[in-house]
Amino acid sequence: MPEPASSTAPAMEIAFWVDRSLLELEPSFLRHLVAGLKAEGHRVTFIAPVGADLSSLPTLSSRVLHYRWSGWERASVLRKLRLAALSGQLADQPPDVLVVWGSADHRPLHTLAQTVPNLPVVLWCWDAAELFTPLARQRNIRQIIAASEAIAARKPANFPLPITVIRPGVYAEEAIACYDRDHQVPCLVCLDPLSDHTAYQCLIHACRRLADEGQDFLLFAYDTGRDEYSIWRP
């Protein structure tokens, strides 16, 4: 059993702002991240809109907070009323940090920053364009996490926030869902140019692991490049 975080460092409470785009795009990554945090003895809070399906996330023993947000709230007072219950819960029992994905809607988070101004936020950017959004300019953001060095290198001039690169990795779902029909062979389709030998070696290595586990699949690569021969040779 893993040692609790208190044996080496104080346990933290980390809150995750969960929106529908995150649930659609990266549920596997978030599930692994939360499992790792809990294994280290940290507490996790999920903040999600009412009606969001959190069944894919490990919410057992975690605090789950909900809020209502339709996107039609124009007046500031209406926005604050929408988030009043959530703001009160976070003010009464604040987490140590709130982790927000760069694709999140900035409007409810802007309102939350006004009602709970001392809540520090970490913004996790998976696309360089997210460094230029209104969300990245909010005053309560303390740190930016970039998913790659290429994203971090695109930061605007005189960017005031520290940026840390954390490569998230790729996590697959336990059940393959390429096709609804049984006995249909799943396909891997790669559209990257065949000019990055190192990147393709990682892909080929992953394919070999799948093959060694007895998983049947097809791999299609649509492009050419200077490393094409070295990538495909035995």
Side-chain angles (χ1 to χ4, degrees), residues 183-197:
H183 311 300
Q184 180 71 60
V185 179
C187 301
L188 299 176
V189 180
C190 184
L191 303 179
D192 286 352
L194 298 175
S195 57
D196 189 340
H197 184 271

Side-chain angles (χ1 to χ4, degrees), residues 24-73:
E24 292 174 359
L25 298 175
E26 296 297 340
S28 296
F29 169 72
L30 182 56
R31 186 164 58 248
H32 282 78
L33 177 60
V34 169
L37 290 171
K38 288 185 175 182
E40 292 293 328
H42 300 291
R43 301 182 303 278
V44 174
T45 294
F46 296 98
I47 303 174
V50 171
D53 182 7
L54 303 183
S55 60
S56 63
L57 301 180
T59 57
L60 186 65
S61 76
S62 295
R63 183 167 63 145
V64 180
L65 305 178
H66 293 283
Y67 66 93
R68 293 186 180 276
W69 189 268
S70 66
W72 294 98
E73 298 84 357

Side-chain angles (χ1 to χ4, degrees), residues 120-137:
V121 175
V122 171
L123 184 65
W124 201 318
C125 295
W126 294 59
D127 190 293
E130 295 166 357
L131 297 172
F132 298 84
T133 62
L135 181 56
R137 296 194 293 270

Side-chain angles (χ1 to χ4, degrees), residues 172-178:
E173 296 288 353
E174 294 180 2
I176 296 177
C178 291

Side-chain angles (χ1 to χ4, degrees), residues 9-202:
M12 297 178 61
E13 180 174 353
I14 299 98
F16 289 93
W17 186 269
V18 181
D19 61 6
R20 288 180 174 85
S21 65
L22 172 58
L23 290 173
E24 292 174 359
L25 298 175
E26 296 297 340
S28 296
F29 169 72
L30 182 56
R31 186 164 58 248
H32 282 78
L33 177 60
V34 169
L37 290 171
K38 288 185 175 182
E40 292 293 328
H42 300 291
R43 301 182 303 278
V44 174
T45 294
F46 296 98
I47 303 174
V50 171
D53 182 7
L54 303 183
S55 60
S56 63
L57 301 180
T59 57
L60 186 65
S61 76
S62 295
R63 183 167 63 145
V64 180
L65 305 178
H66 293 283
Y67 66 93
R68 293 186 180 276
W69 189 268
S70 66
W72 294 98
E73 298 84 357
R74 300 299 181 186
S76 177
V77 64
L78 292 178
R79 294 181 177 184
K80 291 180 180 179
L81 284 173
R82 279 288 196 185
L83 299 181
L86 174 62
S87 300
Q89 291 170 311
L90 293 177
D92 292 340
Q93 187 181 342
D96 293 286
V97 65
L98 172 61
V99 180
V100 177
W101 259 243
S103 59
D105 185 352
H106 72 278
R107 293 171 295 177
L109 287 160
H110 176 73
T111 301
L112 191 67
Q114 294 175 327
T115 55
V116 193
N118 296 324
L119 178 60
V121 175
V122 171
L123 184 65
W124 201 318
C125 295
W126 294 59
D127 190 293
E130 295 166 357
L131 297 172
F132 298 84
T133 62
L135 181 56
R137 296 194 293 270
Q138 288 193 181
R139 294 182 179 180
N140 61 336
I141 293 180
R142 303 290 188 267
Q143 178 84 30
I144 300 287
I145 296 178
S148 69
E149 289 87 350
I151 294 174
R154 292 280 307 279
K155 67 179 182 180
N158 302 319
F159 195 65
L161 297 172
I163 298 181
T164 300
V165 175
I166 299 179
R167 302 175 190 86
V170 178
Y171 297 96
E173 296 288 353
E174 294 180 2
I176 296 177
C178 291
Y179 295 97
D180 293 330
R181 291 175 293 177
D182 294 336
H183 311 300
Q184 180 71 60
V185 179
C187 301
L188 299 176
V189 180
C190 184
L191 303 179
D192 286 352
L194 298 175
S195 57
D196 189 340
H197 184 271
T198 302
Y200 263 92
Q201 284 300 104
C202 295

